[in-house]
Amino acid sequence: MGEGFDGRIERLRERMVRARVDAFVVTHPANIFYLTGFSGDTGALVVERHRAELFTDGRFTIQAREELTGRVRPRIVAGGLLGAVGRAVGRGKARRIAFEATRMTVAERCRLGRAAGAGRPAKAGRRWVAAEGWIERLRAVKDAGEIEAVREAARLASRVLEEVLEQVRPGVREDELAAELDYRMRRGGAAGPAFETIVASGARAALPHARASSKRLRKTELVVIDMGAILRRYCSDLTRTVYLGRAPERIRRWHRAVQEAQAAAVESLRPGVRAEAVDGAARKVLRGFRLERAFVHSTGHGLGLEIHEAPRLGRHQPEALEAGNIVTIEPGVYFEGVGGIRLEDDFAVGASGAERLTTVRQGILEL
Ligand code: ZN
Ligand code: ZN
């Protein structure tokens, strides 16, 4: 992977050259991992045109040596990390220095600036450049190894859900099911759930981001289960909706609408299509069922090292999809006091269409 990490840093440098940036201070852990392979939770990476250094503290000396397989040099510092980074870039020749504007607090940015200027008159012409999404844009296009990692994470979550569906029955508590899903994902090799597992039944299923509660499942209820695993650092994300009993016609119609909306969005997935057009494809189907007002979120999101990343498949997202994007497609309909239905699968965008990575059975689940 060494060459892979260095290649990623080279692509960041191309972006830096275009923006006439001499140094980039990377502080977001997922971005540091993506560029270097370092997985410690404390670090700052300084990428310059001809060198890259990872600042971290003594707790990570061994880990940094083991994980930094590319040309990035570790630099162990005592005391404040950003102070050390600021002093280092302050001593150097860099005039335009980028930082991750969406990942740094105002206090951190001030600390960095103060340290860079400490003990010397403000260097003429030094500029701090607020960079947004530079590395995230690179991360949105996955290489073959990353796609394989998400594929495995998706298979694990799918297998675990299939197993636990056998325990979904009236009387069991939502949080028992969530614990069972988390436990089995860990047993299957996951570092943990990719987010707090959702099991929402009855009227609670109308809350798209409900937490699993101590409520017990009852007959004739809808149950939304939304879960994912982190495996080899990559996330998966999938949702199925169960009906406890034989679903009445109204529920079947809602389920059919969501399933057709998902299929239409998947059908539209290919390089070059605008993200908002994928969202629009799902929305159009729901409009045909007169359910567009019940669809209260966007159609999907990218996933990879983090559970939500670029590209976003929602309204007002004109950016074009690229081969190598991995996205969820997850339309849903929600009715206050009644419940909700959501279906979510993960897809890798390839040259000629989408590959489904999740493997759970489809169709309405009547248990
Ligand atoms: Zn989800
Ligand atoms: Zn999702």
Side-chain angles (χ1 to χ4, degrees), residues 143-158 231-232 234-236 303 326 346 348 355-359:
D143 64 29
E146 294 182 289
I147 293 170
E148 180 56 24
V150 178
R151 190 184 284 122
E152 283 182 27
R155 281 188 186 148
L156 171 60
S158 300
L231 191 64
R232 290 168 48 197
Y234 283 80
C235 299
S236 58
L303 80 168
I326 298 184
D346 304 338
E355 176 200 354
R356 183 188 296 268
L357 304 177
T358 34
T359 58

Side-chain angles (χ1 to χ4, degrees), residues 55-236:
F55 291 71
T56 185
D57 65 53
R59 293 171 299 163
F60 298 99
T61 308
I62 299 168
Q63 190 176 341
R65 200 184 309 135
E66 283 174 359
E67 291 181 338
L68 295 175
T69 55
R71 289 201 294 268
V72 178
R73 291 192 324 200
R75 191 151 155 185
I76 309 300
V77 301
L81 202 63
L82 284 177
V85 169
R87 286 190 296 277
V89 295
R91 279 194 299 271
K93 293 200 190 75
R95 289 166 70 90
R96 284 170 58 83
I97 306 162
F99 63 99
E100 297 189 279
T102 58
R103 309 291 189 176
M104 196 176 267
T105 65
V106 175
E108 287 168 339
R109 165 68 185 82
C110 289
R111 209 177 305 148
L112 194 58
R114 265 199 314 273
R120 57 177 56 223
K123 196 171 271 182
R126 181 184 295 133
R127 280 279 306 278
W128 293 92
V129 178
E132 284 187 38
W134 291 12
I135 302 163
E136 288 80 354
R137 279 186 96 89
L138 300 178
R139 280 172 45 197
V141 177
K142 273 74 177 171
D143 64 29
E146 294 182 289
I147 293 170
E148 180 56 24
V150 178
R151 190 184 284 122
E152 283 182 27
R155 281 188 186 148
L156 171 60
S158 300
R159 195 183 73 224
V160 166
L161 179 56
E162 286 281 5
E163 288 169 11
V164 174
L165 281 176
E166 290 171 19
Q167 300 177 30
V168 177
R169 63 175 84 91
V172 68
R173 294 194 325 266
E174 292 174 357
D175 52 11
E176 276 179 89
L177 289 173
E180 190 66 34
L181 291 162
D182 293 354
Y183 170 72
R184 287 178 186 245
M185 285 194 282
R186 293 292 287 261
R187 285 290 304 263
F195 53 90
E196 193 173 319
T197 301
I198 295 171
V199 179
S201 61
R204 302 188 72 257
L207 312 170
H209 270 195
R211 293 182 144 187
S213 75
S214 59
K215 178 187 169 301
R216 291 184 189 278
L217 274 48
R218 285 193 298 257
K219 267 187 198 163
T220 72
E221 280 183 341
L222 285 161
V223 187
V224 173
I225 301 174
D226 189 346
M227 58 175 294
I230 301 175
L231 191 64
R232 290 168 48 197
R233 306 206 171 274
Y234 283 80
C235 299
S236 58

Side-chain angles (χ1 to χ4, degrees), residues 195 226-227 237-239 301 330 342 344:
F195 53 90
D226 189 346
M227 58 175 294
D237 187 4
L238 79 101
T239 307
H301 53 86
E330 51 176 307
R342 178 164 70 254
E344 176 178 32

Side-chain angles (χ1 to χ4, degrees), residues 22 80 84 207 222 229 287 338:
D22 308 303
L207 312 170
L222 285 161
R287 199 176 309 125
V338 179

